[in-house]
Amino acid sequence: MEIVETAAGCRDLLNGARALGRTVGLVPTMGALHDGHVSLMVRARAECEVMAVSIFVNPLQFGDPEDIAAYPRTLERDLVVCSEAGVDIVFVPGVTEMYPSWPSTVATTMSVTGVSERWEAASRLGHFDGVATVVAKLFAIAGPCRAYFGEKDFQQLAVVRRMASDLSLPVEVVGCPTVREADGLALSSRNVRLSGEERAAAAVLSRALAAGRAAVDDGVRSGAALAAVMRLVVDGEPLVHLDYAVAVDAGDLVEVGDVADPSSVRLLMAAQVGPVRLIDNCAALSRREVRQLERTMS
Ligand code: PAF
């Protein structure tokens, strides 16, 4: 496994791999790697001949200085995780490697209108511009590849897909299923900041999503009714303060009034639990049902 700190070094290694006819997989991360990240690496390892992981805590996507200061940094352990997952190249740039003008303003940034402006945007001003900017840079450094992102950050995935498509970037964006704890809590690097009580309470998000999905299965088609079902479940957990629970179109993330086609609808939620803002989401149909639907349609 090679560890590179410069963009030029990373680009040279990946250009070299492609020159030998090898396909490249990229897993962008901010470190503090957990099994969710490992699942992205496993998928990339299976589908690509050379796998690169980037580890960079991107200051542009944090609004609150306290949030970035509290973000877990576990580089030594992360490198062990990468090595065990069969990563070929780990790109670990410093902040001035990515943003040479830092800490002065970064003059050129990326903005994806529409999909960036909803849900998480209301409480995280500029967050998706920061994500889009760093991901555009990582794509420019990596070159043609498949890039793997978790569905847990569903809005982020939608923003990245839209950017790659609008800018004709030579990158295939691959969304991968959320990995969950046994009680349903979606894995996140932020979970370590929850107290024992908060951690137990946080599982209510996945229970609320499951209730929303069950309501769709039972024939509920009103977006507002699905939101109410999810809200009701969260209301039963006093440590969890719901921000939003909505049924949205899975492509542009606009709230749907009526769930005409559950296979194109996503249920999204966000809540504050102690010091941590948690997000979660699921398809309005289970994967099994989506597969069944695809079989009937083909
Ligand atoms: O999901 C993350 O860890 C980050 O937002 C990403 C995509 C690596 C960009 O910094």
Side-chain angles (χ1 to χ4, degrees):
M1 185 171 85
E2 300 228 31
I3 300 166
V4 279
E5 293 180 1
T6 64
C10 182
R11 182 179 288 129
D12 283 352
L13 285 172
L14 294 177
N15 280 344
R18 276 185 297 264
L20 294 171
R22 300 199 173 129
T23 55
V24 170
L26 172 70
V27 181
T29 82
M30 297 205 298
L33 301 178
H34 51 64
D35 284 352
H37 297 111
V38 172
S39 75
L40 306 181
M41 296 177 202
V42 168
R43 176 97 177 257
R45 183 72 286 165
E47 295 179 353
C48 309
E49 284 151 316
V50 171
M51 178 186 14
V53 169
S54 63
I55 300 180
F56 177 61
V57 182
N58 172 34
L60 281 197
Q61 69 187 78
F62 288 84
D64 178 356
E66 273 175 37
D67 198 24
I68 190 164
Y71 201 83
R73 286 159 215 257
T74 57
L75 184 58
E76 232 171 273
R77 217 191 119 261
D78 291 346
L79 293 176
V80 174
V81 172
C82 288
S83 159
E84 285 175 359
V87 174
D88 300 298
I89 298 158
V90 190
F91 176 44
V92 196
V95 70
T96 50
E97 181 66 17
M98 291 301 273
Y99 304 121
S101 62
W102 195 261
S104 296
T105 316
V106 175
T108 307
T109 57
M110 195 59 78
S111 206
V112 182
T113 57
V115 77
S116 283
E117 291 161 5
R118 334 202 136 93
W119 315 120
E120 283 307 286
S123 52
R124 304 185 71 187
L125 213 65
H127 169 69
F128 289 114
D129 288 0
V131 170
T133 302
V134 80
V135 172
K137 283 186 69 90
L138 291 169
F139 285 2
I141 293 164
C145 64
R146 288 165 72 93
Y148 296 81
F149 294 84
E151 284 180 345
K152 201 213 85 192
D153 295 293
F154 199 77
Q155 191 171 0
Q156 166 173 285
L157 178 59
V159 169
V160 170
R161 274 194 207 287
R162 188 65 204 251
M163 177 185 72
S165 157
D166 283 358
L167 298 180
S168 309
L169 300 180
V171 177
E172 185 186 338
V173 176
V174 183
C176 302
T178 302
V179 178
R180 297 178 180 280
E181 304 275 10
D183 66 356
L185 179 67
L187 296 195
S188 161
S189 305
R190 294 170 199 269
N191 292 351
V192 294
R193 293 173 58 203
L194 296 169
S195 71
E197 264 191 320
E198 290 159 356
R199 162 64 193 82
V204 77
L205 264 73
S206 61
R207 289 202 301 278
L209 289 170
R213 179 137 81 187
V216 177
D217 284 351
D218 290 345
V220 176
R221 289 294 176 267
S222 145
L226 292 173
V229 166
M230 294 189 279
R231 207 175 307 122
L232 201 68
V233 177
V234 177
D235 282 351
E237 183 44 81
L239 290 181
V240 177
H241 305 283
L242 187 66
D243 180 356
Y244 58 80
V246 276
V248 300
D249 178 276
D252 59 17
L253 307 194
V254 173
E255 189 164 8
V256 292
D258 257 323
V259 182
D261 172 12
S263 66
S264 67
V265 169
R266 203 85 191 172
L267 306 178
L268 303 182
M269 304 184 67
Q272 189 72 26
V273 188
V276 182
R277 180 183 173 78
L278 292 178
I279 53 174
D280 201 352
N281 69 88
C282 71
L285 279 184
S286 66
R287 273 172 200 283
R288 186 178 45 79
E289 287 165 319
V290 172
R291 276 198 297 273
Q292 267 169 5
L293 202 70
E294 281 167 354
R295 269 199 296 275
T296 12
M297 277 160 45
S298 64

